[in-house]
């Protein structure tokens, strides 16, 4: 249960990244599956080589930003469909991640990681580590809230909302699109780097299906906490990420095995997309939007 | 101020769909000119505006703003000089953002956008003052999402956003066409007062001849990619809708005669 809360808060960082692309930029970015692992791979291999864990973690996040930039450039300059651009980067990252790690699994158990102080003091799995994770996630949330309310952040929101309009006010939407993808994937990769250190290893397949976890978090969160303003939405995303973990925790406790989790994620997302069309949730605005997105895609 | 020099634009050249949208068009606007543009469907009016704004690249010819060529500038770069309002009331604003956020976006036209808060108390005061002039009560709804506004309100807001930073040129493409007569009238009045207040150099496309005669200090008529009539202020004041129609019929007839002769 406590572990579920910790994981929820950690994966909440990834969900914030997914929120930035899917909801703010209105861009279905599938790079996530790859950049999550890239963050983990970069951080893990640097730590193994003796680089201080915080530096390695930041490097992991930066590698995610690069992945996001690649997708953004393919989409804007290369005029490749957004979904395809993300898939291309994601697939390419599979090979790159293997190169970075040198093998498909990189253990970190005897290394000094950012989790080591918590683990050595027996805090992991307890209220203190939950508090620390919560503070970290909230700091990122507030940073995003603030960023999106700046002149630059508003132009990013407008890019996702009405691209023609914001161009007519002098915004280079190629730039805002690439920037958002970079920030989003940096968050996702940061999450990957932290998760690897939390679980004690990086694995080349740890990102598979992750986009569904992110989407499920965003959708569940907005079903629980409705509201359009950014700070409500980012809070909802974090709550959604935690609730998602709790659902998974309960599913496991009910006897399902970890390999069933991808199926559960997919069913959750499908349910969240279909239910509103059957009436009672039709009023929730975020659902309508995601539905449109889903129907189009 | 704005010079369009022998500009030609052909869509789908060399195909069966070839369409000459602008045929060797030249036009010069002086500072403070308010030009209304009329012409039949497909005459090339929107294409003319799109070419000025940089949405569409010219095939040949030159385009100058303040004596500087802008031909190679991208649309978002030219936006520093050019404000636009589109026909579709949905096109000029971001529906999921609030009124004050939309105005904050518009305020930074052509300027660097950094980490300053978009809506500050000082800016909010300014927005209130600007909105007050619309007389729609929007100054009390700064935090309302723009998507909640009616088409007329949105178009009035679009007009404000396009103009209140005083761009060098204001382009209006049938921006009252999608509104009911009452609201169209309101937006027309606002247009007049905004343009006159800041002496904005303006090109306004309209299908409403009466409106085209009522506002502005100059009128041009387009047909099949050419400017076929250019009325300066005094002649425009004397002109009537009937007169315009007669003029149009005459020129169209002449064009047909030409073609008959060539054929
Ligand atoms: N983006 C485009 N691609 C292809 N053809 C176009 C494009 N834009 C305009 N055209 C064609 O160019 C010609 C001029 O169109 P334009 O939209 O400029 O006319 P208009 O005078 O604005 O007409 P309306 O009064 O109907 O708005 C038309 O034949 C049109 O089909
Ligand atoms: Mg037109």
């Amino acid at each position: 249960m406590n572990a579920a809360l910790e994981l929820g808060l950690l994966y909440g960082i990834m969900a914030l990244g997914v929120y930035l692309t899917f909801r703010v930029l209105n861009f279905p970015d599938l790079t996530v599956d790859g950049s999550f692992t890239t963050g983990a791979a970069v951080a893990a291999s640097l730590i193994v080589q003796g680089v201080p864990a915080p530096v390695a973690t930041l490097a992991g996040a930066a590698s995610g930003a690069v992945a996001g930039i690649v997708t953004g450039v393919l989409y804007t300059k290369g005029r490749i469909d957004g979904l395809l651009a993300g898939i291309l980067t994601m697939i390419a990252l599979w090979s790159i991640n293997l190169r970075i790690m040198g093998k498909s699994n990189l253990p970190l158990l005897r290394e000094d990681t950012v989790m080591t102080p918590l683990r050595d003091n027996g805090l992991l799995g307890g209220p203190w580590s939950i508090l620390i994770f919560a503070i970290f996630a909230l700091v990122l949330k507030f940073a995003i809230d603030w960023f999106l309310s700046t002149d630059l952040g508003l132009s990013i929101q407008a890019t996702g909302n009405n691209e023609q309009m914001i161009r007519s006010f002098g915004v280079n939407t190629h730039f805002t699109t690439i920037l958002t993808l970079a920030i989003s994937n940096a968050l996702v990769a940061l999450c990957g780097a932290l998760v690897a250190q939390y679980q004690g290893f990086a694995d080349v397949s740890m990102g598979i299906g992750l986009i569904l976890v992110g989407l499920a978090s965003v959708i569940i969160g907005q079903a629980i906490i409705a509201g359009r303003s950014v700070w409500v939405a980012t809070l909802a995303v974090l709550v959604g990420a935690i609730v998602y973990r709790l659902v998974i925790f309960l599913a496991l406790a009910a006897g399902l095995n970890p390999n069933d989790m991808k199926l559960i994620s997919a069913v959750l997302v499908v349910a969240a997309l279909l239910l509103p069309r059957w009436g009672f949730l039709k009023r929730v605005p975020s659902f309508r939007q995601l539905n449109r997105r889903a129907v189009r895609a | 101020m704005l010079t369009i020099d022998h500009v030609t634009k052909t869509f789908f050249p060399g195909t069966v769909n070839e369409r000459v949208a602008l045929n060797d068009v030249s036009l010069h606007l002086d500072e403070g000119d308010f030009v209304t543009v009329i012409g039949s469907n497909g005459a090339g009016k929107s294409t003319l505006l799109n070419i000025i704004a940089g949405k569409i690249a010219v095939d040949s010819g030159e385009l100058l703003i303040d004596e500087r060529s802008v031909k190679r500038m991208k649309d978002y770069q030219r936006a520093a000089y050019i404000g636009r309002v589109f026909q579709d009331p949905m096109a000029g604003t971001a529906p999921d953002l609030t009124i004050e956020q939309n105005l904050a976006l518009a305020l930074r036209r052509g300027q660097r956008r950094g980490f300053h808060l978009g809506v500050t108390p000082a800016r909010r005061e300014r927005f209130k003052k600007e909105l007050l002039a619309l007389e729609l009560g929007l100054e009390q709804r700064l935090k309302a999402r723009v998507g909640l506004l009616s088409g007329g309100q949105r178009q009035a807001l679009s007009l404000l956003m396009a103009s209140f930073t005083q761009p060098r040129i204001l382009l209006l493409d049938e921006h009252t066409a999608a509104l009911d007569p009452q609201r169209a009238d309101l937006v027309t009045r606002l247009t007049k007062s905004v343009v006159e207040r800041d002496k904005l150099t303006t090109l306004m496309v309209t299908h409403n001849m009466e409106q085209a005669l009522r506002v502005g200090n100059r009128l041009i008529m387009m047909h099949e990619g050419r400017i076929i009539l250019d009325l300066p202020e005094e002649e425009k004041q004397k002109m009537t809708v009937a007169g315009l129609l007669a003029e149009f019929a005459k020129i169209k007839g002449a064009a047909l005669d030409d073609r008959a002769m060539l054929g």
Side-chain angles (χ1 to χ4, degrees):
Chain A
M1 180 77 182
N2 282 351
L5 280 175
E6 285 177 347
L7 278 174
L9 288 163
L10 276 184
Y11 279 99
I13 299 167
M14 178 274 299
L16 286 172
V18 170
Y19 164 78
L20 280 179
T21 48
F22 267 79
R23 294 286 288 116
V24 176
L25 194 61
N26 229 334
F27 183 100
D29 179 30
L30 299 188
T31 315
V32 173
D33 280 21
S35 59
F36 180 78
T37 312
T38 307
V42 167
S45 43
L46 286 177
I47 288 171
V48 168
Q49 285 164 41
V51 174
V55 177
T57 305
L58 285 180
S63 67
V66 174
I69 290 171
V70 170
T71 301
V73 169
L74 289 176
Y75 172 67
T76 55
K77 309 297 173 198
R79 299 204 194 154
I80 294 171
D81 173 76
L83 276 171
L84 183 56
I87 290 172
L88 288 170
T89 312
M90 171 183 82
I91 302 279
L93 282 176
W94 176 273
S95 305
I96 293 172
N97 293 338
L98 273 171
R99 288 263 179 198
I100 294 171
M101 295 201 291
K103 50 188 173 181
S104 61
N105 189 297
L106 208 56
L108 289 171
L109 284 176
R110 272 176 299 276
E111 308 291 339
D112 243 351
T113 72
V114 293
M115 300 295 168
T116 306
L118 292 174
R119 190 167 280 126
D120 287 354
N121 291 311
L123 296 178
L124 274 191
W128 285 108
S129 85
I130 292 174
L131 183 70
I132 290 168
F133 285 14
I135 289 171
F136 188 67
L138 283 174
V139 165
L140 287 173
K141 170 206 149 32
F142 286 120
I144 291 172
D145 295 348
W146 165 79
F147 175 64
L148 287 179
S149 70
T150 61
D151 282 329
L152 180 58
L154 282 177
S155 70
I156 283 174
Q157 292 194 60
T159 302
N161 206 211
N162 188 346
E163 182 169 353
Q164 286 316 309
M165 167 264 182
I166 197 59
R167 283 181 81 87
S168 82
F169 287 102
V171 170
N172 177 355
T173 51
H174 287 182
F175 170 74
T176 47
T177 300
I178 294 170
L179 177 65
T180 312
L181 284 165
I183 297 172
S184 165
N185 282 287
L187 286 167
V188 170
L190 171 65
C191 175
L194 292 174
V195 166
Q197 295 172 70
Y198 178 84
Q199 66 189 16
F201 63 89
D203 189 280
V204 73
S205 58
M206 68 194 278
I208 293 179
L210 193 80
I211 184 61
L212 282 187
V213 178
L215 268 184
S217 304
V218 172
I219 296 172
I220 293 171
Q222 295 196 312
I224 298 173
I225 306 176
R228 280 178 173 272
S229 65
V230 167
W231 76 270
V232 175
T234 49
L235 181 69
V237 167
L238 288 181
V239 170
I242 293 168
V243 171
Y244 172 84
R245 278 300 145 192
L246 291 176
V247 170
I248 296 293
F249 172 78
L250 291 176
L252 288 172
L256 289 170
N257 82 53
N259 290 328
D260 297 329
M261 291 311 115
K262 302 257 186 283
L263 177 61
I264 294 177
S265 307
V267 169
L268 265 177
V269 172
V270 170
L273 289 173
L274 293 186
L275 284 180
R277 275 185 244 157
W278 296 335
F280 72 102
L281 280 172
K282 235 177 205 140
R283 283 164 184 283
V284 182
S286 55
F287 277 97
R288 271 201 319 247
Q289 278 222 344
L290 268 167
N291 261 318
R292 252 187 276 140
R293 172 105 260 162
V295 172
R296 246 186 290 138
Chain B
M1 152 89 265
L2 170 68
T3 305
I4 297 160
D5 194 25
H6 296 289
V7 161
T8 293
K9 177 71 199 181
T10 308
F11 289 107
F12 311 115
T15 71
V16 286
N17 293 321
E18 180 172 291
R19 184 75 215 183
V20 181
L22 291 179
N23 189 352
D24 194 26
V25 169
S26 293
L27 178 69
H28 177 82
L29 265 63
D30 284 322
E31 184 99 43
D33 264 353
F34 184 175
V35 182
T36 53
V37 185
I38 57 173
S40 44
N41 292 111
K45 307 179 296 293
S46 296
T47 305
L48 178 68
L49 265 54
N50 281 329
I51 266 176
I52 297 170
K55 275 278 155 215
I56 298 176
V58 300
D59 295 339
S60 62
E62 195 40 92
L63 240 150
L64 308 164
I65 297 178
D66 291 331
E67 266 83 73
R68 241 173 332 135
S69 173
V70 294
K71 209 165 90 174
R72 288 200 171 67
M73 286 170 83
K74 295 235 183 334
D75 57 340
Y76 66 85
Q77 294 169 316
R78 289 189 214 181
Y81 315 107
I82 300 173
R84 288 196 85 175
V85 183
F86 306 89
Q87 177 171 351
D88 177 6
M90 305 300 147
T93 48
D96 285 342
L97 298 183
T98 62
I99 292 180
E100 60 183 13
Q101 287 174 324
N102 270 277
L103 284 162
L105 287 166
L107 185 67
R108 301 297 293 172
R109 170 189 299 287
Q111 289 173 284
R112 230 182 58 80
R113 289 164 203 263
F115 298 111
H116 286 287
L117 277 190
V119 182
T120 59
R123 284 187 185 178
R124 193 174 277 138
E125 281 316 302
R126 161 122 198 246
F127 299 158
K128 274 190 189 157
K129 235 176 46 214
E130 300 283 354
L131 287 167
L132 212 53
L134 299 184
E135 295 177 19
L136 290 171
L138 295 182
E139 66 280 357
Q140 281 156 37
R141 301 176 63 190
L142 284 176
K143 290 195 190 312
R145 286 195 322 107
V146 168
L148 300 172
L149 303 182
S150 73
Q153 288 171 328
R154 277 184 81 163
Q155 204 63 329
L157 181 63
S158 304
L159 179 66
L160 177 64
M161 286 166 58
S163 63
F164 82 125
T165 51
Q166 303 179 12
R168 298 293 287 148
I169 299 164
L170 182 61
L171 301 177
L172 310 170
D173 193 352
E174 297 189 51
H175 69 308
T176 62
L179 308 175
D180 62 59
Q182 214 177 338
R183 302 207 185 264
D185 214 49
L186 167 83
V187 173
T188 306
R189 259 188 295 123
L190 288 172
T191 306
K192 240 181 120 168
S193 70
V194 167
V195 171
E196 277 164 15
R197 185 184 75 175
D198 294 328
K199 313 232 171 333
L200 296 176
T201 309
T202 303
L203 264 174
M204 178 175 109
V205 175
T206 176
H207 269 286
N208 182 337
M209 297 204 181
E210 191 266 326
Q211 183 191 37
L213 288 171
R214 186 154 39 104
V215 301
N217 67 343
R218 185 174 161 193
L219 182 148
I220 62 178
M221 187 191 284
M222 292 186 71
H223 185 61
E224 298 192 336
R226 293 175 188 275
I227 295 175
I228 54 169
L229 183 71
D230 188 342
L231 295 179
E233 184 144 31
E234 315 82 65
E235 289 182 45
K236 175 168 175 292
Q237 269 162 10
K238 278 179 271 168
M239 185 55 81
T240 60
V241 170
L244 279 178
L245 287 171
E247 202 73 43
F248 185 59
K250 198 167 81 195
I251 289 156
K252 209 166 144 187
L256 286 177
D257 286 349
D258 278 358
R259 219 177 288 157
M261 261 167 20
L262 286 172

